[in-house]
Amino acid sequence: MKRYIPKILLFSAIIFLVSTITEPLLVKGNTLTSFDDFEAEFFNDELPLEDLTFDDLEKMSEDELKEFGINMDEDAVTFNPEILDEDFDFEAAVNDLDIAKMDGEEKDEFLQVIEEVAATSDTEEVELLEEALIDIFNSDSETFNDLEATQESLEEAYVEKLESEEIALLSRTKKLIFGSNKVYAAKKKKGKIRVGVNLAGAVFNVAISGVVGGGVSALKSYIKKKGKKVVAKNLSRVATAQAKKLKIKSVRGVAIVTVISSAIYVALDYLNVGVALARVIDSKDWYRNNGWIDITK
């Protein structure tokens, strides 16, 4: 009997070690059993930037702003002067937001916009979000202007990251997530587009900053220069044009331009304008205030 004891102890030690390594990811994997859990899990940073206002921005030092991920470089705090022209075409500017067609300087500035949006989007997975945003604004990408495909791609990338961190010991995580997706699809009724408000908000933010030029600080300067009422009117055109590019044309029979134009003024109080807009859309869709945009095309 004694000769078996070392083997039993060794086996027990191995079991303990494996369970210790895998338990944290099992817990996380078990929380990712629905679309809703993915949204909450992916955007779970400890810094709730969506609640910060432009008034809060005024009270922060440059170092504090940088800690929040806000770009304070000169080209990020100055807005594009062309948007001050009375005949500036905001819709055309939105349609021109295509990385594949930008020259070197334009591309670098636009990628800085994406970098800031990702850094201020309440997620620890900044690089994954950056990649998703780059693809949705790149006509050479398979997910160009496709919110649903971008959502799916982001989820897949996140799952792969979880799996790689545990050296594929828990490949069942992917089955847990995508199995639940099929369950939701079977229950889905009228909504034909379903993406998280945080991802949709990030896309709106990229479009807004891409047209305004610069980042959050540039938008603040633009509001100071032209006044909130004028900026709200102009950015309503930007957000509406972006929504239409994404095939979001109406929300429960209400034209998207109406939804956005009635929400943009209040949304401009917040640094995270895009998420504020996405939350308004969520509050009016088929499944209201569930953290997801469920609307008809």
Side-chain angles (χ1 to χ4, degrees), residues 186-248:
K187 295 179 179 178
K188 194 160 134 181
K189 298 178 182 178
K190 297 182 179 179
K192 294 181 182 178
I193 297 178
R194 189 172 201 264
V195 293
V197 294
N198 289 289
L199 176 59
V203 173
F204 282 128
N205 281 332
V206 171
I208 289 170
S209 290
V211 171
V212 171
V216 169
S217 297
L219 178 56
K220 184 188 74 169
S221 298
Y222 180 41
I223 294 173
K224 278 189 172 183
K225 178 72 175 180
K226 294 297 292 182
K228 188 178 172 184
K229 185 176 181 180
V230 172
V231 172
K233 179 181 178 181
N234 292 338
L235 294 191
S236 174
R237 294 171 61 185
V238 172
T240 299
Q242 182 59 48
K244 289 180 178 179
K245 278 177 65 177
L246 301 172
K247 299 180 176 63
I248 302 175

Coordinates of all heavy atoms in Angstrom, one line a residue, residues 186-248:
A186 N -32.7 32.2 -31.8 CA -34.0 31.5 -31.9 C -35.1 32.3 -31.3 O -36.2 32.2 -31.7 CB -33.9 30.1 -31.2
K187 N -34.8 33.1 -30.3 CA -35.8 33.9 -29.6 C -36.0 35.3 -30.2 O -37.0 35.9 -29.9 CB -35.4 34.1 -28.1 CG -35.3 32.8 -27.3 CD -34.9 33.1 -25.9 CE -34.9 31.8 -25.1 NZ -34.4 32.1 -23.7
K188 N -35.1 35.7 -31.1 CA -35.1 37.0 -31.6 C -36.4 37.2 -32.5 O -36.7 36.4 -33.3 CB -33.9 37.2 -32.5 CG -33.5 38.6 -32.8 CD -32.1 38.7 -33.2 CE -31.8 39.4 -34.5 NZ -30.5 39.5 -34.8
K189 N -37.0 38.4 -32.3 CA -38.3 38.6 -33.0 C -38.1 39.7 -34.0 O -37.7 39.5 -35.1 CB -39.3 38.9 -32.0 CG -39.6 37.8 -31.0 CD -40.7 38.2 -30.0 CE -40.9 37.1 -29.0 NZ -41.9 37.4 -28.0
K190 N -38.4 40.9 -33.6 CA -38.4 42.0 -34.6 C -37.1 42.7 -34.9 O -36.9 43.2 -36.0 CB -39.5 43.1 -34.2 CG -40.9 42.5 -34.1 CD -41.9 43.6 -33.7 CE -43.3 43.0 -33.7 NZ -44.3 44.1 -33.3
G191 N -36.2 42.7 -33.9 CA -35.0 43.4 -34.1 C -34.1 42.6 -35.0 O -33.9 41.4 -34.9
K192 N -33.5 43.3 -36.0 CA -32.7 42.7 -37.0 C -31.2 43.1 -36.9 O -30.4 42.4 -37.5 CB -33.2 43.0 -38.4 CG -34.5 42.4 -38.8 CD -34.9 42.8 -40.2 CE -36.3 42.3 -40.5 NZ -36.8 42.6 -41.9
I193 N -30.9 44.1 -36.1 CA -29.6 44.5 -35.8 C -29.4 44.5 -34.3 O -30.1 45.1 -33.6 CB -29.3 45.9 -36.3 CG1 -29.4 46.0 -37.9 CG2 -27.9 46.4 -35.9 CD1 -29.2 47.3 -38.5
R194 N -28.4 43.7 -33.9 CA -28.2 43.6 -32.4 C -26.7 43.8 -32.1 O -25.9 42.9 -32.4 CB -28.7 42.3 -31.9 CG -28.7 42.3 -30.3 CD -29.4 41.0 -29.8 NE -29.8 41.2 -28.5 CZ -29.2 40.8 -27.4 NH1 -28.0 40.3 -27.5 NH2 -29.6 41.0 -26.2
V195 N -26.3 44.9 -31.6 CA -25.0 45.2 -31.1 C -25.0 45.9 -29.8 O -26.0 46.6 -29.5 CB -24.2 46.0 -32.1 CG1 -23.9 45.2 -33.4 CG2 -24.8 47.3 -32.4
G196 N -23.9 45.7 -29.0 CA -23.9 46.4 -27.7 C -23.8 47.9 -27.8 O -23.2 48.4 -28.8
V197 N -24.4 48.6 -26.9 CA -24.4 50.1 -26.9 C -22.9 50.6 -26.8 O -22.6 51.7 -27.4 CB -25.2 50.7 -25.8 CG1 -26.7 50.3 -26.1 CG2 -24.8 50.2 -24.5
N198 N -22.1 49.9 -26.1 CA -20.7 50.4 -26.0 C -19.9 50.3 -27.3 O -19.2 51.3 -27.7 CB -19.9 49.6 -24.9 CG -20.4 50.0 -23.5 OD1 -20.2 51.0 -23.0 ND2 -21.1 49.0 -22.9
L199 N -20.1 49.3 -28.1 CA -19.5 49.2 -29.4 C -20.1 50.2 -30.3 O -19.3 50.9 -31.1 CB -19.6 47.7 -29.9 CG -19.0 47.6 -31.4 CD1 -17.5 47.9 -31.4 CD2 -19.3 46.1 -31.9
A200 N -21.4 50.2 -30.4 CA -22.0 51.2 -31.3 C -21.6 52.6 -30.9 O -21.3 53.5 -31.8 CB -23.6 51.1 -31.2
G201 N -21.5 52.9 -29.6 CA -21.1 54.2 -29.1 C -19.7 54.5 -29.6 O -19.4 55.7 -30.0
A202 N -18.8 53.6 -29.5 CA -17.4 53.8 -29.9 C -17.4 54.1 -31.4 O -16.6 55.0 -31.8 CB -16.6 52.5 -29.7
V203 N -18.2 53.5 -32.2 CA -18.2 53.7 -33.7 C -18.7 55.2 -33.9 O -18.2 55.9 -34.8 CB -19.1 52.7 -34.4 CG1 -19.3 53.1 -35.9 CG2 -18.5 51.3 -34.3
F204 N -19.8 55.6 -33.2 CA -20.2 57.0 -33.3 C -19.1 57.9 -32.9 O -19.0 59.0 -33.6 CB -21.5 57.2 -32.5 CG -22.8 56.6 -33.1 CD1 -23.6 55.8 -32.3 CD2 -23.1 57.0 -34.3 CE1 -24.8 55.3 -32.9 CE2 -24.3 56.5 -34.9 CZ -25.1 55.7 -34.2
N205 N -18.4 57.6 -31.9 CA -17.4 58.5 -31.4 C -16.3 58.7 -32.4 O -15.7 59.8 -32.6 CB -16.8 58.0 -30.1 CG -17.6 58.3 -28.9 OD1 -18.3 59.3 -28.9 ND2 -17.5 57.5 -27.9
V206 N -15.9 57.6 -33.1 CA -14.9 57.6 -34.1 C -15.3 58.5 -35.3 O -14.6 59.4 -35.8 CB -14.5 56.2 -34.7 CG1 -13.6 56.3 -35.9 CG2 -13.8 55.4 -33.6
A207 N -16.6 58.4 -35.7 CA -17.1 59.2 -36.8 C -17.1 60.7 -36.4 O -16.7 61.5 -37.2 CB -18.5 58.7 -37.1
I208 N -17.6 61.0 -35.2 CA -17.7 62.4 -34.7 C -16.3 63.0 -34.7 O -16.0 64.1 -35.2 CB -18.4 62.4 -33.4 CG1 -19.9 62.1 -33.5 CG2 -18.2 63.8 -32.7 CD1 -20.6 62.0 -32.2
S209 N -15.3 62.3 -34.0 CA -14.0 62.8 -33.9 C -13.3 62.9 -35.3 O -12.5 63.7 -35.5 CB -13.2 62.0 -32.9 OG -13.6 62.2 -31.6
G210 N -13.6 61.9 -36.1 CA -13.0 61.8 -37.4 C -13.4 63.0 -38.3 O -12.5 63.6 -39.0
V211 N -14.6 63.5 -38.1 CA -15.1 64.7 -38.9 C -14.6 66.0 -38.3 O -14.2 66.9 -39.0 CB -16.6 64.6 -39.1 CG1 -17.1 65.9 -39.7 CG2 -17.1 63.4 -39.9
V212 N -14.8 66.0 -36.9 CA -14.3 67.2 -36.2 C -12.8 67.4 -36.3 O -12.3 68.6 -36.5 CB -14.8 67.2 -34.7 CG1 -14.2 68.3 -33.9 CG2 -16.3 67.2 -34.6
G213 N -12.1 66.3 -36.3 CA -10.6 66.4 -36.3 C -10.2 66.4 -34.9 O -10.8 67.1 -34.1
G214 N -9.1 65.7 -34.6 CA -8.6 65.7 -33.2 C -9.4 64.7 -32.4 O -10.0 63.8 -32.9
G215 N -9.4 65.0 -31.1 CA -10.1 64.1 -30.2 C -11.1 64.8 -29.3 O -11.8 65.8 -29.7
V216 N -11.3 64.3 -28.1 CA -12.2 64.8 -27.1 C -11.9 66.3 -26.9 O -12.9 67.2 -26.8 CB -12.1 64.1 -25.8 CG1 -12.9 64.8 -24.7 CG2 -12.7 62.7 -26.0
S217 N -10.7 66.7 -26.7 CA -10.3 68.1 -26.5 C -10.7 69.0 -27.7 O -11.1 70.1 -27.5 CB -8.8 68.2 -26.2 OG -8.5 67.5 -25.0
A218 N -10.5 68.5 -28.9 CA -10.9 69.2 -30.1 C -12.4 69.5 -30.1 O -12.9 70.6 -30.5 CB -10.4 68.5 -31.3
L219 N -13.2 68.5 -29.7 CA -14.6 68.6 -29.7 C -15.0 69.7 -28.7 O -15.9 70.5 -28.9 CB -15.3 67.3 -29.3 CG -16.8 67.3 -29.2 CD1 -17.5 67.8 -30.5 CD2 -17.3 65.9 -28.9
K220 N -14.4 69.7 -27.5 CA -14.6 70.7 -26.5 C -14.3 72.1 -27.1 O -15.1 73.0 -26.9 CB -13.8 70.4 -25.3 CG -14.0 71.4 -24.1 CD -13.1 71.3 -23.0 CE -11.7 71.8 -23.4 NZ -10.8 71.9 -22.2
S221 N -13.2 72.2 -27.8 CA -12.9 73.5 -28.4 C -13.9 74.0 -29.4 O -14.3 75.1 -29.5 CB -11.5 73.4 -29.0 OG -10.5 73.1 -28.1
Y222 N -14.4 73.0 -30.2 CA -15.4 73.3 -31.2 C -16.7 73.8 -30.6 O -17.3 74.7 -31.1 CB -15.6 72.0 -32.0 CG -16.7 72.1 -33.1 CD1 -16.7 73.2 -34.0 CD2 -17.6 71.0 -33.4 CE1 -17.7 73.3 -35.0 CE2 -18.5 71.1 -34.4 CZ -18.5 72.2 -35.2 OH -19.5 72.3 -36.2
I223 N -17.1 73.1 -29.5 CA -18.3 73.6 -28.8 C -18.1 75.0 -28.2 O -19.1 75.8 -28.3 CB -18.6 72.6 -27.6 CG1 -19.0 71.2 -28.2 CG2 -19.8 73.1 -26.8 CD1 -19.2 70.1 -27.1
K224 N -17.0 75.3 -27.7 CA -16.7 76.6 -27.2 C -16.7 77.7 -28.3 O -17.2 78.8 -28.1 CB -15.3 76.7 -26.5 CG -15.3 76.2 -25.1 CD -14.0 76.5 -24.4 CE -14.1 76.1 -22.9 NZ -12.8 76.5 -22.2
K225 N -16.3 77.3 -29.5 CA -16.2 78.2 -30.6 C -17.5 78.5 -31.2 O -17.9 79.7 -31.5 CB -15.2 77.6 -31.7 CG -15.1 78.5 -32.9 CD -14.3 79.7 -32.7 CE -14.0 80.5 -33.9 NZ -13.2 81.7 -33.7
K226 N -18.3 77.5 -31.4 CA -19.6 77.7 -32.2 C -20.8 77.6 -31.3 O -21.9 78.0 -31.7 CB -19.7 76.6 -33.2 CG -18.7 76.7 -34.4 CD -18.8 78.0 -35.1 CE -20.1 78.1 -35.9 NZ -20.2 79.3 -36.7
G227 N -20.7 77.2 -30.1 CA -21.9 77.0 -29.2 C -22.5 75.7 -29.3 O -22.5 75.1 -30.4
K228 N -23.1 75.2 -28.2 CA -23.6 73.9 -28.2 C -24.8 73.6 -29.2 O -24.9 72.6 -29.7 CB -24.1 73.6 -26.7 CG -24.5 72.2 -26.5 CD -24.9 72.0 -25.0 CE -25.5 70.6 -24.8 NZ -25.9 70.5 -23.4
K229 N -25.6 74.6 -29.4 CA -26.7 74.5 -30.3 C -26.3 74.2 -31.7 O -26.8 73.3 -32.4 CB -27.6 75.7 -30.2 CG -28.9 75.6 -31.0 CD -29.8 76.8 -30.8 CE -31.1 76.7 -31.5 NZ -32.0 77.9 -31.3
V230 N -25.4 75.0 -32.2 CA -24.9 74.8 -33.5 C -24.1 73.5 -33.7 O -24.4 72.8 -34.7 CB -23.9 76.0 -33.9 CG1 -23.3 75.7 -35.3 CG2 -24.7 77.3 -34.0
V231 N -23.3 73.2 -32.7 CA -22.6 71.9 -32.8 C -23.5 70.7 -32.8 O -23.3 69.7 -33.5 CB -21.5 71.8 -31.6 CG1 -20.9 70.5 -31.6 CG2 -20.5 72.9 -31.8
A232 N -24.6 70.8 -31.9 CA -25.5 69.7 -31.9 C -26.2 69.5 -33.2 O -26.4 68.4 -33.7 CB -26.6 70.0 -30.8
K233 N -26.5 70.6 -33.9 CA -27.1 70.5 -35.2 C -26.2 69.8 -36.2 O -26.6 68.9 -37.0 CB -27.5 71.8 -35.7 CG -28.2 71.8 -37.1 CD -28.5 73.3 -37.5 CE -29.1 73.2 -38.9 NZ -29.5 74.6 -39.4
N234 N -24.9 70.2 -36.2 CA -24.0 69.7 -37.1 C -23.6 68.2 -36.8 O -23.5 67.4 -37.7 CB -22.7 70.5 -37.1 CG -22.9 71.9 -37.7 OD1 -23.9 72.1 -38.5 ND2 -22.1 72.9 -37.3
L235 N -23.4 67.9 -35.5 CA -23.1 66.5 -35.2 C -24.2 65.6 -35.3 O -24.0 64.4 -35.4 CB -22.5 66.5 -33.8 CG -21.1 67.2 -33.6 CD1 -20.5 66.9 -32.3 CD2 -20.2 66.9 -34.8
S236 N -25.4 66.1 -35.3 CA -26.6 65.3 -35.5 C -26.5 64.8 -37.0 O -26.8 63.6 -37.2 CB -27.9 66.1 -35.3 OG -29.0 65.3 -35.7
R237 N -26.1 65.6 -37.9 CA -25.9 65.2 -39.3 C -24.8 64.1 -39.4 O -24.9 63.2 -40.1 CB -25.5 66.4 -40.1 CG -26.6 67.5 -40.2 CD -26.1 68.7 -40.9 NE -25.6 68.5 -42.3 CZ -25.1 69.4 -43.0 NH1 -24.9 70.7 -42.5 NH2 -24.7 69.1 -44.2
V238 N -23.7 64.3 -38.6 CA -22.6 63.3 -38.6 C -23.1 62.0 -38.1 O -22.9 60.9 -38.8 CB -21.4 63.8 -37.7 CG1 -20.4 62.7 -37.6 CG2 -20.8 65.1 -38.4
A239 N -23.7 62.0 -36.9 CA -24.2 60.7 -36.3 C -25.2 60.0 -37.2 O -25.3 58.8 -37.3 CB -24.7 61.0 -34.9
T240 N -26.1 60.8 -37.8 CA -27.2 60.2 -38.6 C -26.6 59.6 -39.9 O -26.9 58.5 -40.3 CB -28.2 61.3 -39.0 OG1 -28.8 61.8 -37.9 CG2 -29.2 60.7 -40.0
A241 N -25.6 60.3 -40.5 CA -24.9 59.8 -41.7 C -24.2 58.5 -41.3 O -24.2 57.5 -42.1 CB -24.0 60.8 -42.2
Q242 N -23.6 58.4 -40.2 CA -22.9 57.2 -39.8 C -23.8 56.1 -39.5 O -23.6 55.0 -39.9 CB -22.0 57.5 -38.5 CG -21.2 56.3 -38.0 CD -20.2 55.8 -39.1 OE1 -19.5 56.6 -39.7 NE2 -20.2 54.5 -39.3
A243 N -25.0 56.4 -38.9 CA -26.0 55.4 -38.6 C -26.5 54.8 -39.9 O -26.6 53.6 -40.0 CB -27.1 56.0 -37.8
K244 N -26.7 55.6 -40.9 CA -27.2 55.1 -42.2 C -26.1 54.3 -42.9 O -26.5 53.3 -43.6 CB -27.6 56.3 -43.1 CG -28.9 57.0 -42.6 CD -29.3 58.2 -43.4 CE -30.6 58.8 -43.0 NZ -31.0 59.9 -43.8
K245 N -24.9 54.7 -42.7 CA -23.8 53.8 -43.3 C -23.9 52.4 -42.7 O -23.5 51.4 -43.4 CB -22.4 54.4 -43.0 CG -22.0 55.6 -43.9 CD -20.7 56.2 -43.5 CE -19.6 55.2 -43.7 NZ -18.2 55.8 -43.3
L246 N -24.3 52.3 -41.5 CA -24.3 51.1 -40.8 C -25.7 50.4 -41.0 O -26.0 49.4 -40.3 CB -24.1 51.3 -39.3 CG -22.7 51.9 -38.9 CD1 -22.7 52.2 -37.4 CD2 -21.6 51.0 -39.3
K247 N -26.5 51.0 -41.9 CA -27.8 50.5 -42.2 C -28.8 50.6 -41.0 O -29.8 49.8 -40.9 CB -27.8 49.0 -42.7 CG -26.9 48.8 -43.9 CD -26.9 47.4 -44.3 CE -26.1 47.2 -45.7 NZ -24.7 47.6 -45.6
I248 N -28.6 51.5 -40.2 CA -29.6 51.8 -39.1 C -30.4 53.0 -39.6 O -30.0 54.2 -39.5 CB -28.9 52.2 -37.8 CG1 -28.0 51.1 -37.3 CG2 -29.9 52.5 -36.7 CD1 -27.1 51.4 -36.1

